[in-house]
Amino acid sequence: MSKKLKLAIIFGGKSGEHEISIVSARSIIKEVDKVKYEVKEILITKKGGWLVSGKACSISEALDGVDVAFPVLHGPYGEDGTIQGLFEIVGVPYVGSGVLASAVAMDKALAKDLFKANSLPVVDSFVVKKLHWGKEENSIVNKIEEKIGFPSFVKPANLGSSVGVSKVKKKDDLNKAIEEAFEYDNKVLVEKAVQNAREIEVAVLGNESPIPSVCGEIVPSQEFYSYEAKYVDESSELIIPAKITEKLSKEIRSLAIMAYKAVDGSGMARVDFLFDDKSENIYLNEINTIPGFTSISMYPKLWEKSGLPYPKLINRLIQLGIDRFNSKNSLRVDYPSKINP
């Protein structure tokens, strides 16, 4: 019998998505193959402390003996390349995208610029930085009214799960929405709302040759897919596969792969789109490199409907992380130098 791999599932984190991360991790822990993996549960507290089995420890102690890490950390300090950088330094294989892809995808404003550079369709947007907001509030509001208009969405640039997101229908409500978003990030993104929007999502899996899942559609229980609509009232509807034409499905899935490659993704991502049912325009909304893994999350559900059940999906993600580590580890790090340090 082969030796079990020690799998560290790391969750929690210093983020507004701390609680959702815990729920995602519980789902993975429940479904992971216990014959193949010895699971080590690592909780990062909201203050940044590391706990193993409820006991405080150093980072080196927590990662000691770990063969592969599965970060289930949504939002800052987990999905943004920071913990991925730690894994790179200590030499631990890990699930998901690398430092660059994680950082770029996490910053919705930066990712949008990259998408535009790759000719991917995105809605008009405006970036507000906290430093400028305090000095130029009235001017910024007027510029947003002129360039973006209403209705619009206001969101923290570096967060997910719809935390801090507001739909603004008139100018008088814009200040409050921006102030709320600034509670979670120093950079805020204001985006033009898509009328008649349908929310279509695609799961992507793979390293150099990624593949897309079937398309899924979210019909939110509220006006938009807010935090409450996602996790609290449980009445939002997930339609998989989405009730769209084969032509539209093929186009959206192709755009998902283009977005994934644009950020240099690896392992996994969920790519979200907005489809204007009237004009038939497609807009790339965002890409999530550590998507939710709760029992109601789209990423595992999309793959289940695509023929890859949850336990096999976990196995595949872990192997992709190991494969990427081995590929990178085969590169030379030495150079015949004449310099005598």
Side-chain angles (χ1 to χ4, degrees), residues 198-245:
R198 294 172 64 182
E199 300 191 34
I200 309 294
E201 300 187 348
V202 178
V204 178
L205 179 69
N207 291 339
E208 289 82 6
S209 303
I211 56 173
S213 70
V214 298
C215 294
E217 180 173 4
I218 295 172
V219 181
S221 58
Q222 300 180 14
E223 190 172 4
F224 70 97
Y225 204 33
S226 65
Y227 183 94
E228 288 73 19
K230 286 180 180 179
Y231 304 115
V232 180
D233 66 17
E234 298 184 352
S235 56
S236 294
E237 187 179 2
L238 308 183
I239 303 172
I240 308 173
K243 295 178 181 179
I244 55 178
T245 65

mmCIF file of all heavy atoms in Angstrom, residues 198-245:
data_model
loop_
_atom_site.group_PDB
_atom_site.id
_atom_site.type_symbol
_atom_site.label_atom_id
_atom_site.label_comp_id
_atom_site.label_asym_id
_atom_site.label_seq_id
_atom_site.Cartn_x
_atom_site.Cartn_y
_atom_site.Cartn_z
ATOM 1 N N ARG A 198 -28.283 38.343 -17.459
ATOM 2 C CA ARG A 198 -28.331 36.972 -16.944
ATOM 3 C C ARG A 198 -26.909 36.618 -16.515
ATOM 4 O O ARG A 198 -25.944 36.944 -17.211
ATOM 5 C CB ARG A 198 -28.817 36.003 -18.025
ATOM 6 C CG ARG A 198 -30.257 36.235 -18.434
ATOM 7 C CD ARG A 198 -30.634 35.382 -19.645
ATOM 8 N NE ARG A 198 -30.581 33.945 -19.359
ATOM 9 C CZ ARG A 198 -30.835 33.001 -20.277
ATOM 10 N NH1 ARG A 198 -31.146 33.349 -21.528
ATOM 11 N NH2 ARG A 198 -30.773 31.725 -19.953
ATOM 12 N N GLU A 199 -26.769 35.978 -15.365
ATOM 13 C CA GLU A 199 -25.451 35.650 -14.820
ATOM 14 C C GLU A 199 -25.076 34.225 -15.213
ATOM 15 O O GLU A 199 -25.670 33.259 -14.737
ATOM 16 C CB GLU A 199 -25.439 35.831 -13.300
ATOM 17 C CG GLU A 199 -25.763 37.258 -12.873
ATOM 18 C CD GLU A 199 -25.484 37.511 -11.404
ATOM 19 O OE1 GLU A 199 -24.532 36.923 -10.863
ATOM 20 O OE2 GLU A 199 -26.230 38.310 -10.811
ATOM 21 N N ILE A 200 -24.074 34.119 -16.082
ATOM 22 C CA ILE A 200 -23.613 32.828 -16.596
ATOM 23 C C ILE A 200 -22.198 32.571 -16.076
ATOM 24 O O ILE A 200 -21.352 33.457 -16.120
ATOM 25 C CB ILE A 200 -23.607 32.804 -18.141
ATOM 26 C CG1 ILE A 200 -24.960 33.265 -18.707
ATOM 27 C CG2 ILE A 200 -23.241 31.412 -18.640
ATOM 28 C CD1 ILE A 200 -26.111 32.364 -18.410
ATOM 29 N N GLU A 201 -21.960 31.349 -15.584
ATOM 30 C CA GLU A 201 -20.649 31.021 -15.033
ATOM 31 C C GLU A 201 -20.093 29.746 -15.660
ATOM 32 O O GLU A 201 -20.843 28.835 -16.016
ATOM 33 C CB GLU A 201 -20.737 30.871 -13.513
ATOM 34 C CG GLU A 201 -21.211 32.150 -12.826
ATOM 35 C CD GLU A 201 -21.136 32.068 -11.311
ATOM 36 O OE1 GLU A 201 -20.942 30.962 -10.772
ATOM 37 O OE2 GLU A 201 -21.274 33.119 -10.663
ATOM 38 N N VAL A 202 -18.769 29.717 -15.763
ATOM 39 C CA VAL A 202 -18.064 28.559 -16.314
ATOM 40 C C VAL A 202 -16.923 28.197 -15.375
ATOM 41 O O VAL A 202 -16.199 29.075 -14.897
ATOM 42 C CB VAL A 202 -17.495 28.864 -17.724
ATOM 43 C CG1 VAL A 202 -16.734 27.657 -18.261
ATOM 44 C CG2 VAL A 202 -18.601 29.260 -18.680
ATOM 45 N N ALA A 203 -16.756 26.920 -15.096
ATOM 46 C CA ALA A 203 -15.624 26.444 -14.304
ATOM 47 C C ALA A 203 -14.514 26.013 -15.259
ATOM 48 O O ALA A 203 -14.772 25.374 -16.277
ATOM 49 C CB ALA A 203 -16.045 25.271 -13.422
ATOM 50 N N VAL A 204 -13.279 26.388 -14.919
ATOM 51 C CA VAL A 204 -12.121 26.019 -15.742
ATOM 52 C C VAL A 204 -11.191 25.148 -14.907
ATOM 53 O O VAL A 204 -11.004 25.384 -13.708
ATOM 54 C CB VAL A 204 -11.381 27.269 -16.254
ATOM 55 C CG1 VAL A 204 -10.155 26.877 -17.061
ATOM 56 C CG2 VAL A 204 -12.315 28.125 -17.110
ATOM 57 N N LEU A 205 -10.609 24.149 -15.553
ATOM 58 C CA LEU A 205 -9.737 23.194 -14.868
ATOM 59 C C LEU A 205 -8.530 22.898 -15.751
ATOM 60 O O LEU A 205 -8.682 22.614 -16.943
ATOM 61 C CB LEU A 205 -10.513 21.901 -14.605
ATOM 62 C CG LEU A 205 -9.802 20.738 -13.920
ATOM 63 C CD1 LEU A 205 -9.488 21.080 -12.459
ATOM 64 C CD2 LEU A 205 -10.672 19.478 -13.988
ATOM 65 N N GLY A 206 -7.321 22.966 -15.172
ATOM 66 C CA GLY A 206 -6.137 22.584 -15.934
ATOM 67 C C GLY A 206 -4.982 23.545 -15.778
ATOM 68 O O GLY A 206 -5.125 24.629 -15.217
ATOM 69 N N ASN A 207 -3.828 23.132 -16.289
ATOM 70 C CA ASN A 207 -2.630 23.968 -16.283
ATOM 71 C C ASN A 207 -2.384 24.528 -17.684
ATOM 72 O O ASN A 207 -3.022 25.476 -18.088
ATOM 73 C CB ASN A 207 -1.431 23.169 -15.768
ATOM 74 C CG ASN A 207 -1.544 22.843 -14.284
ATOM 75 O OD1 ASN A 207 -2.271 23.507 -13.550
ATOM 76 N ND2 ASN A 207 -0.815 21.841 -13.831
ATOM 77 N N GLU A 208 -1.489 23.918 -18.444
ATOM 78 C CA GLU A 208 -1.178 24.433 -19.779
ATOM 79 C C GLU A 208 -2.319 24.222 -20.781
ATOM 80 O O GLU A 208 -2.459 24.971 -21.742
ATOM 81 C CB GLU A 208 0.098 23.786 -20.335
ATOM 82 C CG GLU A 208 1.366 24.224 -19.645
ATOM 83 C CD GLU A 208 1.605 23.452 -18.356
ATOM 84 O OE1 GLU A 208 0.837 22.497 -18.056
ATOM 85 O OE2 GLU A 208 2.552 23.805 -17.641
ATOM 86 N N SER A 209 -3.127 23.187 -20.562
ATOM 87 C CA SER A 209 -4.235 22.884 -21.495
ATOM 88 C C SER A 209 -5.560 22.856 -20.739
ATOM 89 O O SER A 209 -6.149 21.786 -20.525
ATOM 90 C CB SER A 209 -3.988 21.540 -22.189
ATOM 91 O OG SER A 209 -2.746 21.540 -22.873
ATOM 92 N N PRO A 210 -6.035 24.018 -20.315
ATOM 93 C CA PRO A 210 -7.258 24.064 -19.500
ATOM 94 C C PRO A 210 -8.500 23.693 -20.293
ATOM 95 O O PRO A 210 -8.558 23.876 -21.515
ATOM 96 C CB PRO A 210 -7.316 25.530 -19.049
ATOM 97 C CG PRO A 210 -6.598 26.279 -20.130
ATOM 98 C CD PRO A 210 -5.499 25.365 -20.587
ATOM 99 N N ILE A 211 -9.494 23.173 -19.585
ATOM 100 C CA ILE A 211 -10.764 22.814 -20.210
ATOM 101 C C ILE A 211 -11.904 23.499 -19.456
ATOM 102 O O ILE A 211 -11.813 23.733 -18.254
ATOM 103 C CB ILE A 211 -10.990 21.290 -20.236
ATOM 104 C CG1 ILE A 211 -10.906 20.711 -18.816
ATOM 105 C CG2 ILE A 211 -9.980 20.598 -21.145
ATOM 106 C CD1 ILE A 211 -11.295 19.236 -18.719
ATOM 107 N N PRO A 212 -12.994 23.827 -20.174
ATOM 108 C CA PRO A 212 -14.142 24.457 -19.520
ATOM 109 C C PRO A 212 -15.233 23.443 -19.184
ATOM 110 O O PRO A 212 -15.371 22.408 -19.837
ATOM 111 C CB PRO A 212 -14.633 25.437 -20.590
ATOM 112 C CG PRO A 212 -14.359 24.703 -21.878
ATOM 113 C CD PRO A 212 -13.124 23.858 -21.647
ATOM 114 N N SER A 213 -16.001 23.757 -18.164
ATOM 115 C CA SER A 213 -17.168 22.954 -17.827
ATOM 116 C C SER A 213 -18.338 23.376 -18.709
ATOM 117 O O SER A 213 -18.202 24.250 -19.573
ATOM 118 C CB SER A 213 -17.538 23.184 -16.359
ATOM 119 O OG SER A 213 -18.065 24.513 -16.194
ATOM 120 N N VAL A 214 -19.487 22.779 -18.470
ATOM 121 C CA VAL A 214 -20.715 23.301 -19.072
ATOM 122 C C VAL A 214 -20.992 24.675 -18.463
ATOM 123 O O VAL A 214 -20.438 25.035 -17.422
ATOM 124 C CB VAL A 214 -21.914 22.363 -18.798
ATOM 125 C CG1 VAL A 214 -21.683 21.000 -19.411
ATOM 126 C CG2 VAL A 214 -22.189 22.245 -17.298
ATOM 127 N N CYS A 215 -21.841 25.453 -19.089
ATOM 128 C CA CYS A 215 -22.237 26.746 -18.538
ATOM 129 C C CYS A 215 -23.343 26.555 -17.502
ATOM 130 O O CYS A 215 -24.191 25.675 -17.638
ATOM 131 C CB CYS A 215 -22.759 27.664 -19.639
ATOM 132 S SG CYS A 215 -21.532 28.162 -20.857
ATOM 133 N N GLY A 216 -23.312 27.381 -16.484
ATOM 134 C CA GLY A 216 -24.380 27.391 -15.494
ATOM 135 C C GLY A 216 -24.946 28.786 -15.371
ATOM 136 O O GLY A 216 -24.260 29.770 -15.677
ATOM 137 N N GLU A 217 -26.179 28.888 -14.932
ATOM 138 C CA GLU A 217 -26.805 30.199 -14.753
ATOM 139 C C GLU A 217 -27.280 30.360 -13.322
ATOM 140 O O GLU A 217 -27.808 29.413 -12.716
ATOM 141 C CB GLU A 217 -27.983 30.388 -15.710
ATOM 142 C CG GLU A 217 -28.663 31.734 -15.551
ATOM 143 C CD GLU A 217 -29.728 32.018 -16.596
ATOM 144 O OE1 GLU A 217 -30.004 31.120 -17.428
ATOM 145 O OE2 GLU A 217 -30.280 33.136 -16.587
ATOM 146 N N ILE A 218 -27.096 31.556 -12.785
ATOM 147 C CA ILE A 218 -27.585 31.885 -11.455
ATOM 148 C C ILE A 218 -28.782 32.815 -11.598
ATOM 149 O O ILE A 218 -28.696 33.850 -12.263
ATOM 150 C CB ILE A 218 -26.498 32.573 -10.619
ATOM 151 C CG1 ILE A 218 -25.347 31.612 -10.356
ATOM 152 C CG2 ILE A 218 -27.071 33.078 -9.302
ATOM 153 C CD1 ILE A 218 -24.143 32.255 -9.716
ATOM 154 N N VAL A 219 -29.878 32.434 -10.985
ATOM 155 C CA VAL A 219 -31.046 33.306 -10.912
ATOM 156 C C VAL A 219 -31.162 33.752 -9.458
ATOM 157 O O VAL A 219 -31.655 33.008 -8.611
ATOM 158 C CB VAL A 219 -32.330 32.576 -11.362
ATOM 159 C CG1 VAL A 219 -33.528 33.529 -11.306
ATOM 160 C CG2 VAL A 219 -32.162 32.003 -12.762
ATOM 161 N N PRO A 220 -30.644 34.943 -9.148
ATOM 162 C CA PRO A 220 -30.594 35.386 -7.744
ATOM 163 C C PRO A 220 -31.971 35.630 -7.160
ATOM 164 O O PRO A 220 -32.902 36.040 -7.860
ATOM 165 C CB PRO A 220 -29.767 36.675 -7.811
ATOM 166 C CG PRO A 220 -29.907 37.159 -9.208
ATOM 167 C CD PRO A 220 -30.071 35.950 -10.058
ATOM 168 N N SER A 221 -32.078 35.371 -5.869
ATOM 169 C CA SER A 221 -33.347 35.582 -5.172
ATOM 170 C C SER A 221 -33.596 37.063 -4.917
ATOM 171 O O SER A 221 -34.719 37.472 -4.636
ATOM 172 C CB SER A 221 -33.340 34.836 -3.838
ATOM 173 O OG SER A 221 -32.245 35.271 -3.034
ATOM 174 N N GLN A 222 -32.516 37.859 -5.006
ATOM 175 C CA GLN A 222 -32.629 39.294 -4.811
ATOM 176 C C GLN A 222 -32.290 40.012 -6.117
ATOM 177 O O GLN A 222 -32.079 39.372 -7.140
ATOM 178 C CB GLN A 222 -31.708 39.732 -3.667
ATOM 179 C CG GLN A 222 -32.042 39.044 -2.342
ATOM 180 C CD GLN A 222 -31.135 39.475 -1.215
ATOM 181 O OE1 GLN A 222 -30.418 40.458 -1.310
ATOM 182 N NE2 GLN A 222 -31.149 38.723 -0.123
ATOM 183 N N GLU A 223 -32.229 41.331 -6.059
ATOM 184 C CA GLU A 223 -32.030 42.108 -7.282
ATOM 185 C C GLU A 223 -30.718 41.774 -7.965
ATOM 186 O O GLU A 223 -30.604 41.827 -9.187
ATOM 187 C CB GLU A 223 -32.111 43.600 -6.975
ATOM 188 C CG GLU A 223 -32.147 44.463 -8.202
ATOM 189 C CD GLU A 223 -32.416 45.930 -7.898
ATOM 190 O OE1 GLU A 223 -32.495 46.290 -6.718
ATOM 191 O OE2 GLU A 223 -32.535 46.712 -8.857
ATOM 192 N N PHE A 224 -29.693 41.431 -7.179
ATOM 193 C CA PHE A 224 -28.443 40.910 -7.737
ATOM 194 C C PHE A 224 -27.919 39.849 -6.793
ATOM 195 O O PHE A 224 -28.465 39.628 -5.705
ATOM 196 C CB PHE A 224 -27.424 42.035 -7.978
ATOM 197 C CG PHE A 224 -26.847 42.653 -6.729
ATOM 198 C CD1 PHE A 224 -25.620 42.248 -6.227
ATOM 199 C CD2 PHE A 224 -27.533 43.662 -6.049
ATOM 200 C CE1 PHE A 224 -25.083 42.814 -5.090
ATOM 201 C CE2 PHE A 224 -27.002 44.241 -4.912
ATOM 202 C CZ PHE A 224 -25.779 43.822 -4.428
ATOM 203 N N TYR A 225 -26.866 39.152 -7.205
ATOM 204 C CA TYR A 225 -26.361 38.015 -6.425
ATOM 205 C C TYR A 225 -25.516 38.512 -5.259
ATOM 206 O O TYR A 225 -24.290 38.422 -5.266
ATOM 207 C CB TYR A 225 -25.562 37.100 -7.349
ATOM 208 C CG TYR A 225 -25.477 35.660 -6.884
ATOM 209 C CD1 TYR A 225 -26.509 35.051 -6.194
ATOM 210 C CD2 TYR A 225 -24.343 34.903 -7.168
ATOM 211 C CE1 TYR A 225 -26.433 33.729 -5.791
ATOM 212 C CE2 TYR A 225 -24.250 33.579 -6.778
ATOM 213 C CZ TYR A 225 -25.294 33.002 -6.082
ATOM 214 O OH TYR A 225 -25.203 31.687 -5.680
ATOM 215 N N SER A 226 -26.189 39.045 -4.258
ATOM 216 C CA SER A 226 -25.547 39.621 -3.082
ATOM 217 C C SER A 226 -25.047 38.526 -2.150
ATOM 218 O O SER A 226 -25.323 37.339 -2.349
ATOM 219 C CB SER A 226 -26.535 40.509 -2.329
ATOM 220 O OG SER A 226 -27.602 39.712 -1.825
ATOM 221 N N TYR A 227 -24.345 38.933 -1.102
ATOM 222 C CA TYR A 227 -23.860 37.989 -0.090
ATOM 223 C C TYR A 227 -25.032 37.210 0.507
ATOM 224 O O TYR A 227 -24.977 35.993 0.670
ATOM 225 C CB TYR A 227 -23.117 38.764 1.001
ATOM 226 C CG TYR A 227 -22.488 37.898 2.077
ATOM 227 C CD1 TYR A 227 -21.155 37.499 1.989
ATOM 228 C CD2 TYR A 227 -23.211 37.486 3.191
ATOM 229 C CE1 TYR A 227 -20.564 36.714 2.964
ATOM 230 C CE2 TYR A 227 -22.636 36.700 4.182
ATOM 231 C CZ TYR A 227 -21.314 36.329 4.060
ATOM 232 O OH TYR A 227 -20.748 35.546 5.038
ATOM 233 N N GLU A 228 -26.115 37.931 0.832
ATOM 234 C CA GLU A 228 -27.286 37.287 1.421
ATOM 235 C C GLU A 228 -27.925 36.307 0.448
ATOM 236 O O GLU A 228 -28.327 35.207 0.822
ATOM 237 C CB GLU A 228 -28.311 38.348 1.843
ATOM 238 C CG GLU A 228 -27.923 39.171 3.057
ATOM 239 C CD GLU A 228 -26.831 40.190 2.771
ATOM 240 O OE1 GLU A 228 -26.610 40.520 1.570
ATOM 241 O OE2 GLU A 228 -26.188 40.645 3.729
ATOM 242 N N ALA A 229 -28.000 36.706 -0.831
ATOM 243 C CA ALA A 229 -28.595 35.833 -1.839
ATOM 244 C C ALA A 229 -27.762 34.571 -2.055
ATOM 245 O O ALA A 229 -28.284 33.502 -2.362
ATOM 246 C CB ALA A 229 -28.759 36.582 -3.161
ATOM 247 N N LYS A 230 -26.448 34.702 -1.869
ATOM 248 C CA LYS A 230 -25.554 33.551 -2.055
ATOM 249 C C LYS A 230 -25.605 32.578 -0.885
ATOM 250 O O LYS A 230 -25.662 31.364 -1.074
ATOM 251 C CB LYS A 230 -24.107 34.034 -2.226
ATOM 252 C CG LYS A 230 -23.804 34.668 -3.562
ATOM 253 C CD LYS A 230 -22.342 35.112 -3.640
ATOM 254 C CE LYS A 230 -22.043 35.753 -4.982
ATOM 255 N NZ LYS A 230 -20.657 36.216 -5.089
ATOM 256 N N TYR A 231 -25.560 33.118 0.346
ATOM 257 C CA TYR A 231 -25.277 32.259 1.485
ATOM 258 C C TYR A 231 -26.323 32.242 2.587
ATOM 259 O O TYR A 231 -26.288 31.368 3.451
ATOM 260 C CB TYR A 231 -23.947 32.681 2.119
ATOM 261 C CG TYR A 231 -22.800 32.684 1.146
ATOM 262 C CD1 TYR A 231 -22.149 33.863 0.801
ATOM 263 C CD2 TYR A 231 -22.360 31.510 0.543
ATOM 264 C CE1 TYR A 231 -21.090 33.875 -0.096
ATOM 265 C CE2 TYR A 231 -21.308 31.512 -0.357
ATOM 266 C CZ TYR A 231 -20.682 32.693 -0.667
ATOM 267 O OH TYR A 231 -19.640 32.711 -1.558
ATOM 268 N N VAL A 232 -27.261 33.198 2.591
ATOM 269 C CA VAL A 232 -28.160 33.314 3.730
ATOM 270 C C VAL A 232 -29.560 32.780 3.430
ATOM 271 O O VAL A 232 -30.034 31.857 4.090
ATOM 272 C CB VAL A 232 -28.244 34.783 4.222
ATOM 273 C CG1 VAL A 232 -29.188 34.880 5.418
ATOM 274 C CG2 VAL A 232 -26.851 35.290 4.599
ATOM 275 N N ASP A 233 -30.233 33.355 2.412
ATOM 276 C CA ASP A 233 -31.640 32.963 2.226
ATOM 277 C C ASP A 233 -31.809 31.664 1.440
ATOM 278 O O ASP A 233 -32.878 31.071 1.432
ATOM 279 C CB ASP A 233 -32.447 34.098 1.586
ATOM 280 C CG ASP A 233 -32.023 34.410 0.155
ATOM 281 O OD1 ASP A 233 -31.344 33.587 -0.473
ATOM 282 O OD2 ASP A 233 -32.392 35.496 -0.325
ATOM 283 N N GLU A 234 -30.752 31.199 0.761
ATOM 284 C CA GLU A 234 -30.717 29.887 0.098
ATOM 285 C C GLU A 234 -31.820 29.687 -0.941
ATOM 286 O O GLU A 234 -32.172 28.566 -1.276
ATOM 287 C CB GLU A 234 -30.775 28.760 1.132
ATOM 288 C CG GLU A 234 -29.590 28.738 2.095
ATOM 289 C CD GLU A 234 -29.623 27.558 3.038
ATOM 290 O OE1 GLU A 234 -30.641 26.841 3.049
ATOM 291 O OE2 GLU A 234 -28.636 27.343 3.760
ATOM 292 N N SER A 235 -32.379 30.775 -1.456
ATOM 293 C CA SER A 235 -33.456 30.616 -2.430
ATOM 294 C C SER A 235 -33.051 31.024 -3.846
ATOM 295 O O SER A 235 -33.880 31.020 -4.753
ATOM 296 C CB SER A 235 -34.693 31.409 -2.001
ATOM 297 O OG SER A 235 -34.385 32.773 -1.805
ATOM 298 N N SER A 236 -31.785 31.395 -4.033
ATOM 299 C CA SER A 236 -31.309 31.645 -5.387
ATOM 300 C C SER A 236 -31.289 30.324 -6.153
ATOM 301 O O SER A 236 -31.044 29.261 -5.584
ATOM 302 C CB SER A 236 -29.909 32.261 -5.369
ATOM 303 O OG SER A 236 -29.933 33.546 -4.796
ATOM 304 N N GLU A 237 -31.541 30.388 -7.441
ATOM 305 C CA GLU A 237 -31.640 29.179 -8.256
ATOM 306 C C GLU A 237 -30.396 29.012 -9.121
ATOM 307 O O GLU A 237 -29.943 29.950 -9.764
ATOM 308 C CB GLU A 237 -32.887 29.262 -9.142
ATOM 309 C CG GLU A 237 -33.169 27.985 -9.906
ATOM 310 C CD GLU A 237 -34.413 28.080 -10.768
ATOM 311 O OE1 GLU A 237 -35.039 29.163 -10.793
ATOM 312 O OE2 GLU A 237 -34.747 27.072 -11.429
ATOM 313 N N LEU A 238 -29.830 27.802 -9.106
ATOM 314 C CA LEU A 238 -28.695 27.462 -9.952
ATOM 315 C C LEU A 238 -29.199 26.534 -11.056
ATOM 316 O O LEU A 238 -29.724 25.461 -10.769
ATOM 317 C CB LEU A 238 -27.591 26.774 -9.150
ATOM 318 C CG LEU A 238 -27.100 27.482 -7.878
ATOM 319 C CD1 LEU A 238 -25.957 26.683 -7.249
ATOM 320 C CD2 LEU A 238 -26.651 28.895 -8.180
ATOM 321 N N ILE A 239 -29.043 26.970 -12.291
ATOM 322 C CA ILE A 239 -29.514 26.173 -13.430
ATOM 323 C C ILE A 239 -28.306 25.639 -14.189
ATOM 324 O O ILE A 239 -27.542 26.406 -14.773
ATOM 325 C CB ILE A 239 -30.395 27.023 -14.362
ATOM 326 C CG1 ILE A 239 -31.581 27.607 -13.584
ATOM 327 C CG2 ILE A 239 -30.890 26.195 -15.538
ATOM 328 C CD1 ILE A 239 -32.396 28.614 -14.380
ATOM 329 N N ILE A 240 -28.107 24.323 -14.149
ATOM 330 C CA ILE A 240 -26.961 23.697 -14.796
ATOM 331 C C ILE A 240 -27.450 22.479 -15.592
ATOM 332 O O ILE A 240 -28.043 21.572 -15.020
ATOM 333 C CB ILE A 240 -25.916 23.227 -13.763
ATOM 334 C CG1 ILE A 240 -25.545 24.358 -12.800
ATOM 335 C CG2 ILE A 240 -24.676 22.708 -14.473
ATOM 336 C CD1 ILE A 240 -24.643 23.909 -11.659
ATOM 337 N N PRO A 241 -27.222 22.450 -16.898
ATOM 338 C CA PRO A 241 -26.590 23.503 -17.695
ATOM 339 C C PRO A 241 -27.537 24.680 -17.911
ATOM 340 O O PRO A 241 -28.756 24.545 -17.800
ATOM 341 C CB PRO A 241 -26.273 22.794 -19.006
ATOM 342 C CG PRO A 241 -27.288 21.690 -19.102
ATOM 343 C CD PRO A 241 -27.551 21.254 -17.699
ATOM 344 N N ALA A 242 -26.944 25.827 -18.209
ATOM 345 C CA ALA A 242 -27.733 27.026 -18.452
ATOM 346 C C ALA A 242 -28.617 26.832 -19.679
ATOM 347 O O ALA A 242 -28.235 26.159 -20.637
ATOM 348 C CB ALA A 242 -26.807 28.223 -18.660
ATOM 349 N N LYS A 243 -29.801 27.431 -19.639
ATOM 350 C CA LYS A 243 -30.737 27.315 -20.758
ATOM 351 C C LYS A 243 -30.417 28.372 -21.812
ATOM 352 O O LYS A 243 -31.092 29.394 -21.949
ATOM 353 C CB LYS A 243 -32.168 27.457 -20.245
ATOM 354 C CG LYS A 243 -32.574 26.313 -19.313
ATOM 355 C CD LYS A 243 -33.987 26.486 -18.777
ATOM 356 C CE LYS A 243 -34.349 25.339 -17.838
ATOM 357 N NZ LYS A 243 -35.719 25.496 -17.274
ATOM 358 N N ILE A 244 -29.338 28.112 -22.527
ATOM 359 C CA ILE A 244 -28.887 29.003 -23.601
ATOM 360 C C ILE A 244 -28.592 28.154 -24.825
ATOM 361 O O ILE A 244 -28.482 26.928 -24.733
ATOM 362 C CB ILE A 244 -27.628 29.806 -23.189
ATOM 363 C CG1 ILE A 244 -26.507 28.863 -22.743
ATOM 364 C CG2 ILE A 244 -27.963 30.800 -22.091
ATOM 365 C CD1 ILE A 244 -25.205 29.567 -22.354
ATOM 366 N N THR A 245 -28.449 28.790 -25.969
ATOM 367 C CA THR A 245 -28.191 28.044 -27.199
ATOM 368 C C THR A 245 -26.794 27.423 -27.162
ATOM 369 O O THR A 245 -25.907 27.883 -26.441
ATOM 370 C CB THR A 245 -28.295 28.957 -28.427
ATOM 371 O OG1 THR A 245 -27.245 29.937 -28.366
ATOM 372 C CG2 THR A 245 -29.649 29.652 -28.482
#
